[in-house]
Amino acid sequence: MEWDKYFLEIANTVSTRATCTRLKVGAVIVKDKHILSTGYNGSPSGSPHCTEIGCLIDNNSCQRTIHAETNAIIQAAKHGVNISGSKIYVTHEPCLNCLKHILTAGISDIYFAEEYGSTPLEQKFAKLGLMDKFYILKNNGYYKAYKLY
């Protein structure tokens, strides 16, 4: 099994921990083929989960949860793990806010298995003024967005 598919499979396994009932998403941050951090969508630590009290829907989005990508970045920061120059593997396409978090954290490559939402990733990069800095490719059943150096 190629490495990219391997890490996407791990992201899929991580997603089984998600506590939002609308969509289970998992994320894995990797550098040099080593896992640095994982995250799944769920409520902040110590808060009730969607599985316990239901989703808090506003504008067709659950406001109770922290997205998997952001949770993976937070976990790395919480434990002092440098993720600059790493790759992130996600079960679903990142939303605009998660994309901003990913880029700000210094993650250079984004892999995801499934499209999600009504705005394609290309348009999200364009909204951030970054379309000319990234290349998006669909390959072997998954998507890859990587930085052009």
Side-chain angles (χ1 to χ4, degrees), residues 82-145:
N82 180 2
I83 58 174
S84 182
S86 63
K87 301 175 181 183
I88 190 165
Y89 295 84
V90 191
T91 56
H92 294 78
E93 178 180 347
C95 71
L96 183 60
N97 278 332
C98 285
L99 182 59
K100 291 188 288 187
H101 298 164
I102 289 166
L103 297 174
T104 301
I107 296 171
S108 58
D109 295 359
I110 305 164
Y111 296 79
F112 61 95
E114 294 182 44
E115 292 178 298
Y116 183 74
S118 59
T119 306
L121 192 61
E122 292 91 345
Q123 288 180 20
K124 293 173 191 169
F125 278 118
K127 283 182 181 182
L128 297 174
L130 297 172
M131 195 56 225
D132 61 334
K133 296 186 182 352
F134 281 85
Y135 181 74
I136 301 167
L137 172 72
K138 183 172 183 178
N139 185 26
N140 296 324
Y142 59 88
Y143 298 83
K144 176 184 179 185

Side-chain angles (χ1 to χ4, degrees), residues 5-148:
K5 284 201 178 265
Y6 172 73
F7 290 120
L8 282 168
E9 285 295 322
I10 292 172
N12 191 54
T13 299
V14 170
S15 76
T16 65
R17 297 276 310 146
T19 59
C20 184
T21 55
R22 295 187 71 220
L23 182 68
K24 296 194 177 291
V25 180
V28 179
I29 299 175
V30 175
K31 190 170 188 178
D32 300 325
K33 298 179 184 162
H34 295 280
I35 295 172
L36 303 178
S37 183
T38 64
Y40 53 86
N41 56 327
S43 297
S45 297
S47 298
H49 295 278
C50 297
T51 52
E52 300 166 347
I53 62 172
C55 293
L56 177 61
I57 304 298
D58 183 28
N59 203 18
N60 200 31
S61 179
C62 182
Q63 303 301 304
R64 190 175 312 287
T65 62
I66 298 173
H67 290 187
E69 305 92 311
T70 300
N71 257 333
I73 293 166
I74 290 169
Q75 285 303 309
K78 184 177 177 179
H79 297 287
V81 177
N82 180 2
I83 58 174
S84 182
S86 63
K87 301 175 181 183
I88 190 165
Y89 295 84
V90 191
T91 56
H92 294 78
E93 178 180 347
C95 71
L96 183 60
N97 278 332
C98 285
L99 182 59
K100 291 188 288 187
H101 298 164
I102 289 166
L103 297 174
T104 301
I107 296 171
S108 58
D109 295 359
I110 305 164
Y111 296 79
F112 61 95
E114 294 182 44
E115 292 178 298
Y116 183 74
S118 59
T119 306
L121 192 61
E122 292 91 345
Q123 288 180 20
K124 293 173 191 169
F125 278 118
K127 283 182 181 182
L128 297 174
L130 297 172
M131 195 56 225
D132 61 334
K133 296 186 182 352
F134 281 85
Y135 181 74
I136 301 167
L137 172 72
K138 183 172 183 178
N139 185 26
N140 296 324
Y142 59 88
Y143 298 83
K144 176 184 179 185
Y146 58 93
K147 213 175 226 183
L148 297 174

